[in-house]
Amino acid sequence: MTPSVTIRASILVFALVSTGAAYERALPPTVIPNDNTSPAGVVSSDTLRVSLVVKLARWYPEADDGLFVDVPAFAEEGKSPSIPGPLIRVREGTTVVATVANELSDSTIWIHGLATRPAQDDSTAVKPGARRTFTFKSGQPGTYFYYATAGVIDRKQGEREQLAGALVVDPAKGSPEDRILMINIWSRPRGSAENDQAVAINGKSWPFTERFTVNLGDSLRWRVINASIRGHPMHLHGFYFHVNSRGSLLADTALGLDRREFVVTRHMTARTTMGIAW
């Protein structure tokens, strides 16, 4: 008899039907949440070299032993896969040499955003088992990101925005202390029997997200990246903040004092960024 296992949960639901031989296969590696505080790669002189891998991984967006879904994810070569993908953060004027290997057995991946800023949207295919190297100057300081899509995009199948990582270019003299928050979403198609979704900030859904501890009177700066295709995926309540910059995958605009917004919430469309402070 062919063994069968069904794993069911209230938010993420999928079934695994396997032959005896399939049981002997190794489980996919586990995704680690990325708090975007440790840049990937190695800097030598004025060049950052980073090696990225796309592989199938098991993501636990809530408790570490709770609900899970298997998704393609980025990893720095030799390290665990992460959501968001490895942080690329460099000073203005740095040359980035980024290699991307595709370890998915059945899907070509399309890479976006590994280019000098400002940029034009373009994509590069990496077939299963292949790798490509992207060499580019960092360009204009700002908050950006890179992302990949796997296989043929079919929005009817729901949202699949785990293959994305932050790309930050600091001014030559550096930036004030900040934190980077990336929004990633996994969901089933609208109208499906199970209305499953995982809306994550730096790889975890509330209430499993990171808590920040700050001192009264501190100045806080966040770089917020909506790497999803959903408009307005997050809403802030309870305090006013300044919007210091607004951008996208391709470009970022710093807002001068005469243009800086002072708001209690800011609508973010799909695949946009903003720098906020209070």
Side-chain angles (χ1 to χ4, degrees), residues 238-260:
F239 57 89
Y240 279 83
F241 55 90
H242 290 285
V243 179
N244 293 335
S245 65
R246 295 181 64 188
S248 67
L249 170 76
L250 307 174
D252 196 11
T253 300
L255 304 177
L257 293 178
D258 59 332
R259 298 175 57 203
R260 190 170 64 166

Side-chain angles (χ1 to χ4, degrees), residues 145-147 161 164-165 182-184 225-229 270-272:
F145 61 100
Y146 63 93
Y147 76 96
E161 285 91 50
M182 176 173 276
I183 299 167
N184 301 89
I225 302 172
N226 178 14
S228 78
I229 60 169
R271 291 187 172 141
T272 59

Side-chain angles (χ1 to χ4, degrees), residues 83-96:
I83 295 176
L87 167 64
I88 297 176
R89 187 162 192 170
V90 295
R91 296 284 181 100
E92 182 181 11
T94 302
T95 297
V96 178

Side-chain angles (χ1 to χ4, degrees), residues 51-226:
S51 296
L52 304 175
V53 179
V54 173
K55 60 178 68 180
L56 191 67
R58 181 153 293 179
W59 180 36
Y60 293 82
E62 297 185 344
D64 291 342
D65 60 351
L67 313 174
F68 66 85
V69 63
D70 292 341
V71 296
F74 276 110
E76 189 172 4
E77 194 162 25
K79 299 182 180 180
S80 297
S82 67
I83 295 176
L87 167 64
I88 297 176
R89 187 162 192 170
V90 295
R91 296 284 181 100
E92 182 181 11
T94 302
T95 297
V96 178
V97 181
T99 300
V100 181
N102 180 5
E103 292 189 0
L104 301 178
S105 62
D106 59 355
S107 298
T108 294
I109 58 174
W110 297 85
I111 307 296
H112 301 252
L114 294 178
T116 302
R117 298 312 197 281
Q120 294 183 341
D121 193 12
D122 197 5
S123 61
T124 301
V126 185
K127 295 181 179 181
R131 65 176 59 220
R132 294 290 296 268
T133 298
F134 301 81
T135 301
F136 57 97
K137 284 284 191 180
S138 59
Q140 180 178 311
T143 303
Y144 313 102
F145 61 100
Y146 63 93
Y147 76 96
T149 56
V152 177
I153 299 175
D154 184 356
R155 297 303 182 200
K156 295 179 181 179
Q157 298 304 310
E159 296 158 295
R160 303 288 188 271
E161 285 91 50
Q162 286 67 59
L163 275 173
L167 195 164
V168 173
V169 180
D170 291 306
K173 294 182 179 180
S175 298
E177 183 178 352
D178 59 35
R179 290 298 305 267
I180 302 167
L181 307 179
M182 176 173 276
I183 299 167
N184 301 89
I185 297 176
W186 183 98
S187 74
R188 289 191 183 276
R190 288 185 179 181
S192 60
E194 298 91 2
N195 186 26
D196 305 338
Q197 61 177 328
V199 182
I201 301 174
N202 286 352
K204 285 292 185 180
S205 292
W206 173 264
F208 301 92
T209 45
E210 180 183 0
R211 305 295 201 275
F212 296 142
T213 300
V214 299
N215 295 318
L216 185 65
D218 281 353
S219 294
L220 304 182
R221 296 173 180 82
W222 288 356
R223 299 175 186 263
V224 184
I225 302 172
N226 178 14

Side-chain angles (χ1 to χ4, degrees), residues 21-29 56 58:
Y23 272 103
E24 299 174 2
R25 298 173 188 163
L27 292 175
L56 191 67
R58 181 153 293 179

